Amino acid sequence: MKPLNLLKHEIDKCVRCGTCRSTCPTTKVLGVETASPRGRVSLVSAYSSGEIGLSETYLKHLRECTLCGACRTNCPNGVDTVSIFASARAEAVEKQGAPLAASLAFRGLRDPGGIVGMGLKLARRLQGLLFKDASAGAGLVSRFSLPLVGNGRLIPPLAGTFFLDLPEVRAYESSKGAPGEAGKPRVAFYAGCGVNYLMPWVGTKSVELIRRAGAVVSVPGGQACCGMPAYAMGDLAAAREMARKNLEALESSGADLIATSCATCGHGLKSIMPELLSDDPGLKLRAEKVASRVRDISELLLNDLGFRGAGGGSGASTVVTYHDPCHLGRAQGLREAPRELIKMGRGTVLKEMKNPCLCCGLGGGLMYTNYELSMEIAGKKAENIKKSGADVVATACPGCIIQLKDGLHRAGVQTEVKHVVELL
Amino acid sequence: MLTNVVKHGLERIVGEANCSFSKEELLCYSYDATNTLHQPDAVVFPSGPEEVSLVLKMANSEGFPVVPRGAGTGFSGGSLPVGGGVVLSFERMRNILEIDTENMVAIVEPGVVTWDLQQAVEKLGLFYPPDPSSLKFSTIGGNIAECAGGPRAVKYGVTRDYVLGLEAVLPTGEIINTGVRTAKGVVGYDLTRLLVGSEGTLGVVTKAVLKLLPLPETTTTMLALFPDLRDAARATSAIIRARIIPSTLEIMDSVSIKCVEGFAKTGLPEAEALLLIEVDGHKAAVETEAEAVRRVCLENGAGEFRTASDRNEVKDLWKARRAVSAALYKARPGKINEDIVVPRSRIPDLVDGLRGISERHGVLIASFGHAGDGNIHVNIMHDRKSQAEAALAAAEDVFRLAVGLGGTISGEHGVGSAKSRYLDMELKPDAIAAMKRIKEAFDPKGILNPGKIFPGPGPQKRAPAGAGYAESK
Ligand SMILES: Cc1cc2nc3c(=O)[nH]c(=O)nc-3n(C[C@H](O)[C@H](O)[C@H](O)COP(=O)(O)OP(=O)(O)OC[C@H]3O[C@@H](n4cnc5c(N)ncnc54)[C@H](O)[C@@H]3O)c2cc1C
Ligand code: SF4
Ligand code: SF4
């Protein structure tokens, strides 16, 4: 990953045309230049030339960004805004000395009000988890902001048994466990924090589908958080540690392909893990090898395994709309595959909503640093979902699921939220 | 610099939350799409005409400049606080107040983004035609102040043609209403038209009454490729001569095409020049016109002609077209961007003239734009270090050429601070003097957007940056 001083050329590529104002979810909500990609690039530019320091105002505007990448995709000059913002955040954490994600996590835990409403038992488990190994649950805190309970927040309940602890999953720890069809690849399933702690059923369903499609599945032990939340918060040291752990776990699984049902983890493993480890040429090479084998569940099922559906779609009755996770649509270029899966669902018809790739507002740690803004963005999304008239909104990322549920709940919209695999 | 009295005064008027003095926030209001920097001393976000009025009254009594600002996407420096002072940002006044379907009128606040208005009225079967390429991010206030135009101008006219009336605050603080919300109205001087295109120097727009049209039944989008820019220019004149008024008739040369190739998923074909043409209206008429356009293009040397087959292809083509201006930097790091207009029949002569200028000064010239109304964006692409002088000299030659062909030095971007020193290339001294008297009558103390349109006193030094010049920091 490039430090900020090596990104000067990238920053100077911005000609301040303002095109990106039209694509940014935070500009949509707040309207002002300081909450626009162009404003943020200008601020980072001023910071890197020494015109301004690491002031609170600077950091506020820098962190009021979901890193959704919409500005990068639409910039006529191809300015890599996301890298600029990520590097600027990393530099801030480095200079301020405090690994942000972790310190925030523990601040949340120390605040007794922070755990009210979660159920003491669960809170204790979470606390234990985080104290035992901060890297294991970093995503829970900075991504799902779990121990922090805001006003009227819909808190995602912690799973009774975590996915990786389920007996049937442990049985899959090595790929010898399950028989597969000849000629089909061996697949390692990577869970990620969202699936592991919050929605294990998405994991079990994914594993079941991979098996149904004829592949041998393993769920390798030693998996850590994908590191994306720490990366987004600028805590590179933590993110690197997780990247190394995952590299080892996934390498030693010996699988041909690695599947995940989380868009963010997918993007993290495919692109960010090698970037994080790029300082060490040896590690980088290994990471790139592993990265090239990572697949989102939808592309794995459709492209690698030739999955053709459950075949049970009699008389369509459920109208499903699809939300493109930023980390799947824009970051991995996967827009069609999840839609194809929805069309194969049991009795489902797909109906597009307006602007399906508008960010849900969760990313970049925004729900953590500015929950209100994050929810206002989710509100825009909820409006589009409501207008689509769909019964179900499906998506392919646990983060988006949590956020959409919260946003819809706030807006009083009844639409159900599901992971795409749940429709199959 | 503003005194503390002024700062507190501003806070009292708009509320602390709608006022910024911090270096970081000021930085974000110090540029526009010309990419030049002038830092203001304060940014305020008014919520209505009364607040604007109070700010302007204080500016008169305390003596500081006030600069209205929409989205800051102007190409002539109109919203730059060249002499510091207070930026009046309309980003928080962005409500569509009313869409009157019966009388086909919309009433909006100035910060509404043009595209948002268009989406809202189109849902009701209505149409707001002005479509600057910046339509997805520029504001109605900015469009009115610059009299923005776009591809559709060839058939539907420019912003001016859709402003029926305004609520505006005069530089001295009075809140006035101009114009009407009816189709006609001739009572008194036409202050609406005076304010439209006045670049925020005569009044601050706080509300606009806009004319709407019925949404055309259908639109057909076509693409014609030419082996030579001159052929494309000839085809343009020929289409108009054939008595067809397309709803858009856009031209792009090979440099422009190359810079945005990646933007259309379907890919832009390689060609020396292309025309992007649309005809709209009733289905039967559109079919006949589209066929006529095809014939004329092929007769005038088009090597290939296609009709877009679905909405996504159309969206793609426009995305690419709208990206040209900003994407040209891929060709060269320096750009001077002029939006001259010549009579349509003289476009071929313009093309020849530009070739000469490019050769004479050794700069790369990229041309694209609204061929249908003769408004060509001429971009002088150059190396910022070694060619700055040559580029400025070329720009002057471009103006001379345009005026010589019976045209104008700016069709839609305005004069602002970037082009003021060229004003007398087009206007006679008496006309400039008359305009200055109008400005003085409206703004005796010269507090509203000073330093724009008219060159400052004293000998005109050559500004280091020309229009649209991206200054390296
Ligand atoms: C990529 C790109 C493409 C473009 N394409 C076109 C095009 O095709 N056609 C075209 O005409 N222009 C085009 N422009 C130029 C620009 O977008 C227009 O001039 C637009 O109208 C500016 O709107 P804005 O909201 O950004 O205004 P700003 O740049 O903020 O301001 C422009 C002027 O309006 C004044 N102003 C703003 N709001 C008010 C108000 N409420 N009351 C009084 N004065 C006000 C300002 O003082 C300033 O003088 C393009 C720009 C870009 C970056
Ligand atoms: S679209 Fe790109 S070049 Fe234009 S202002 Fe945004 S980041 Fe800068
Ligand atoms: S990454 Fe997304 S939220 Fe951040 S500035 Fe770009 S468009 Fe806005």
Side-chain angles (χ1 to χ4, degrees):
Chain A
M1 184 173 164
K2 277 192 186 157
L4 201 52
N5 57 10
L6 293 185
L7 282 171
K8 185 174 179 328
H9 171 72
E10 202 58 44
I11 293 171
D12 287 348
K13 248 170 50 187
C14 171
V15 296
R16 299 199 166 93
C17 65
T19 305
C20 48
R21 279 183 64 107
S22 63
T23 59
C24 174
T26 65
T27 320
K28 271 198 176 78
V29 168
L30 298 171
V32 296
E33 184 70 20
T34 39
S36 78
R38 179 175 63 170
R40 294 188 180 110
V41 171
S42 300
L43 284 170
V44 176
S45 167
Y47 168 75
S48 59
S49 68
E51 228 175 301
I52 55 172
L54 279 181
S55 65
E56 261 189 46
T57 320
Y58 167 69
L59 292 174
K60 172 176 180 285
H61 295 311
L62 189 59
R63 288 180 183 145
E64 260 176 13
C65 157
T66 68
L67 296 181
C68 71
C71 48
R72 175 169 63 187
T73 309
N74 288 289
C75 171
N77 276 298
V79 177
D80 185 358
T81 46
V82 177
S83 293
I84 294 174
F85 301 150
S87 292
R89 288 174 177 209
E91 173 146 338
V93 169
E94 198 189 344
K95 288 258 159 76
Q96 285 183 332
L100 196 70
S103 74
L104 287 178
F106 293 121
R107 193 175 70 200
L109 279 180
R110 256 187 261 120
D111 170 11
I115 46 178
V116 174
M118 275 188 61
L120 214 55
K121 237 173 88 191
L122 283 183
R124 280 226 189 84
R125 273 177 61 209
L126 184 64
Q127 214 165 2
L129 186 79
L130 289 173
F131 277 120
K132 204 170 70 205
D133 182 0
S135 75
L140 270 187
V141 181
S142 53
R143 183 131 185 270
F144 305 110
S145 115
L146 209 64
L148 301 176
V149 182
N151 271 347
R153 253 209 74 191
L154 198 67
I155 316 145
L158 218 53
T161 310
F162 300 148
F163 175 75
L164 293 171
D165 296 338
L166 289 170
E168 67 264 38
V169 170
R170 301 202 91 157
Y172 284 140
E173 211 159 283
S174 95
S175 52
K176 286 167 218 125
E181 281 170 24
K184 296 266 174 158
R186 283 164 308 154
V187 178
F189 185 75
Y190 173 84
C193 299
V195 165
N196 185 33
Y197 300 118
L198 303 175
M199 38 195 87
W201 58 92
V202 169
T204 27
K205 184 72 196 218
S206 302
V207 168
E208 181 200 320
L209 288 171
I210 300 171
R211 291 192 60 200
R212 253 207 268 161
V216 188
V217 194
S218 67
V219 183
Q223 313 186 0
C225 165
C226 70
M228 283 296 280
Y231 168 82
M233 300 296 256
D235 191 345
L236 291 193
R240 286 205 178 97
E241 187 192 324
M242 297 170 207
R244 261 193 304 268
K245 275 192 185 168
N246 285 325
L247 177 62
E248 260 150 44
L250 296 174
E251 247 179 358
S252 57
S253 78
D256 304 311
L257 296 174
I258 297 148
T260 171
S261 307
C262 170
T264 299
C265 297
H267 173 51
L269 296 176
K270 281 181 181 177
S271 306
I272 308 300
M273 179 179 64
E275 196 184 315
L276 284 166
L277 300 177
S278 61
D279 288 349
D280 179 330
L283 276 180
K284 183 174 176 230
L285 208 70
R286 283 167 57 197
E288 277 168 353
K289 248 195 205 146
V290 167
S292 71
R293 289 164 21 211
V294 176
R295 300 285 188 275
D296 179 70
I297 184 78
S298 61
E299 63 176 335
L300 176 89
L301 288 174
L302 285 172
N303 305 344
D304 297 297
L305 302 181
F307 182 76
R308 287 293 162 261
S314 64
S317 54
T318 316
V319 182
V320 181
T321 193
Y322 177 70
H323 160 71
D324 284 281
C326 301
H327 286 152
L328 197 64
R330 266 188 292 276
Q332 300 182 51
L334 288 171
R335 294 193 173 84
E336 285 315 312
R339 288 181 166 81
E340 285 307 309
L341 286 187
I342 291 175
K343 288 183 205 154
M344 290 176 187
R346 281 161 303 181
T348 49
V349 274
L350 177 67
K351 185 166 176 225
E352 294 290 347
M353 68 173 103
K354 191 180 147 197
N355 206 353
C357 25
L358 174 72
C359 174
C360 66
L362 170 100
L366 185 66
M367 86 117 65
Y368 196 71
T369 46
N370 189 339
Y371 178 64
E372 278 311 309
L373 176 58
S374 160
M375 270 301 125
E376 272 189 70
I377 297 172
K380 300 248 164 212
K381 196 84 223 186
E383 219 176 281
N384 294 346
I385 293 172
K386 186 177 171 191
K387 279 197 192 132
S388 78
D391 308 307
V392 172
V393 52
T395 187
C397 175
C400 300
I401 292 178
I402 302 284
Q403 175 81 349
L404 292 177
K405 277 191 178 162
D406 202 358
L408 289 166
H409 172 74
R410 274 212 166 191
V413 182
Q414 304 295 329
T415 320
E416 247 189 291
V417 188
K418 288 199 161 147
H419 193 289
V420 170
V421 297
E422 292 180 80
L423 301 172
L424 293 166
Chain B
M1 281 304 282
L2 301 177
T3 61
N4 281 340
V5 177
V6 170
K7 287 185 182 170
H8 287 141
L10 291 171
E11 281 174 350
R12 266 205 310 279
I13 296 169
V14 295
E16 267 178 55
N18 292 312
C19 229
S20 298
F21 307 105
S22 78
K23 173 122 189 164
E24 293 82 358
E25 313 242 344
L26 299 181
L27 241 156
C28 291
Y29 290 87
S30 66
Y31 50 75
D32 67 359
T34 59
N35 201 8
T36 26
L37 299 172
H38 294 276
Q39 200 149 305
D41 300 305
V43 185
V44 303
F45 303 91
S47 62
E50 296 77 17
E51 293 179 358
V52 173
S53 163
L54 289 171
V55 171
L56 288 169
K57 281 182 180 154
M58 188 161 72
N60 275 284
S61 62
E62 302 293 323
F64 56 84
V66 174
V67 184
R69 179 183 170 104
T73 70
F75 269 147
S76 55
S79 59
L80 296 178
V82 290
V86 174
V87 163
L88 208 52
S89 164
F90 287 95
E91 288 167 306
R92 287 187 183 152
M93 279 178 71
R94 46 178 184 152
N95 292 307
I96 298 174
L97 302 172
E98 188 185 335
I99 299 174
D100 176 349
T101 50
E102 224 158 288
N103 295 300
M104 299 210 284
V105 164
I107 302 180
V108 302
E109 290 186 329
V112 168
V113 171
T114 313
W115 175 257
D116 294 341
L117 172 66
Q118 289 178 341
Q119 296 290 98
V121 301
E122 283 176 25
K123 258 187 227 148
L124 303 169
L126 296 169
F127 186 37
Y128 176 71
D131 61 341
S133 294
S134 53
L135 84 173
K136 287 198 176 172
F137 44 98
S138 65
T139 67
I140 293 288
N143 288 179
I144 289 175
E146 299 289 4
C147 187
R152 287 186 195 132
V154 54
K155 177 168 179 182
Y156 291 102
V158 293
T159 303
R160 175 198 294 137
D161 303 306
Y162 294 85
V163 184
L164 293 173
L166 295 171
E167 174 188 84
V169 186
L170 297 179
T172 36
E174 301 86 349
I175 302 171
I176 63 164
N177 285 290
T178 74
V180 289
R181 58 178 290 173
T182 51
K184 294 174 165 181
V186 292
V187 178
Y189 291 143
D190 191 347
L191 293 183
T192 312
R193 286 229 165 186
L194 182 59
L195 287 172
V196 175
S198 66
E199 304 190 19
T201 64
L202 294 181
V204 179
V205 174
T206 47
K207 201 187 279 178
V209 184
L210 303 171
K211 178 170 100 176
L212 305 174
L213 298 180
L215 188 64
E217 187 184 310
T218 182
T219 303
T220 293
T221 306
M222 297 160 279
L223 197 62
L225 309 178
F226 294 86
D228 191 315
L229 185 59
R230 223 165 175 280
D231 294 328
R234 272 206 336 254
T236 302
S237 317
I239 290 171
I240 307 286
R241 254 201 324 276
R243 300 286 180 268
I244 303 163
I245 301 283
S247 53
T248 66
L249 177 39
E250 297 284 298
I251 197 168
M252 280 163 69
D253 70 0
S254 58
V255 181
S256 317
I257 298 171
K258 277 204 196 80
C259 288
V260 295
E261 257 166 358
F263 273 81
K265 276 188 224 91
T266 38
L268 279 184
E270 263 200 43
E272 276 306 301
L274 65 76
L275 290 179
L276 177 59
I277 312 157
E278 284 187 338
V279 288
D280 70 358
H282 287 294
K283 212 159 176 237
V286 165
E287 273 168 23
T288 324
E289 286 186 350
E291 180 46 35
V293 167
R294 197 180 72 91
R295 192 172 26 81
V296 174
C297 285
L298 293 174
E299 279 168 10
N300 282 276
E304 197 185 324
F305 188 93
R306 345 172 167 156
T307 303
S309 50
D310 63 27
R311 277 179 55 145
N312 282 337
E313 194 178 345
V314 173
K315 239 167 100 177
D316 253 22
L317 285 171
W318 280 107
K319 194 170 172 193
R321 162 61 190 87
R322 290 190 184 122
V324 174
S325 179
L328 279 177
Y329 288 92
K330 287 179 189 153
R332 294 281 190 286
K335 173 171 108 163
I336 296 183
N337 150 12
E338 304 300 358
D339 73 313
I340 54 165
V341 193
V342 298
R344 292 187 279 236
S345 59
R346 307 301 298 273
I347 296 179
D349 301 317
L350 176 71
V351 169
D352 286 342
L354 290 176
R355 278 194 184 150
I357 293 172
S358 162
E359 277 163 26
R360 221 164 33 249
H361 297 281
V363 289
L364 177 71
I365 292 189
S367 313
F368 68 92
H370 321 310
D373 50 31
N375 187 189
I376 306 292
H377 297 301
V378 176
N379 296 269
I380 300 157
M381 309 307 301
H382 59 283
D383 183 77
R384 284 189 298 213
K385 287 200 188 84
S386 63
Q387 290 185 303
E389 287 289 313
L392 280 172
E396 271 190 49
D397 280 357
V398 170
F399 290 150
R400 239 170 253 127
L401 175 66
V403 173
L405 291 171
T408 170
I409 63 172
S410 177
E412 49 186 30
H413 295 166
V415 177
S417 52
K419 246 177 278 189
S420 57
R421 66 204 169 89
Y422 302 116
L423 202 64
D424 61 1
M425 284 180 80
E426 184 172 328
L427 299 178
K428 294 271 159 13
D430 285 346
I432 297 177
M435 289 180 189
K436 280 188 168 165
R437 286 201 297 277
I438 294 175
K439 168 72 177 166
E440 276 156 23
F442 273 72
D443 184 11
K445 295 212 168 153
I447 52 100
L448 188 63
N449 211 355
K452 307 295 164 67
I453 303 181
F454 306 109
Q460 279 308 291
K461 71 168 173 14
R462 266 201 155 178
Y469 192 89
E471 217 174 26
S472 58
K473 277 205 307 148

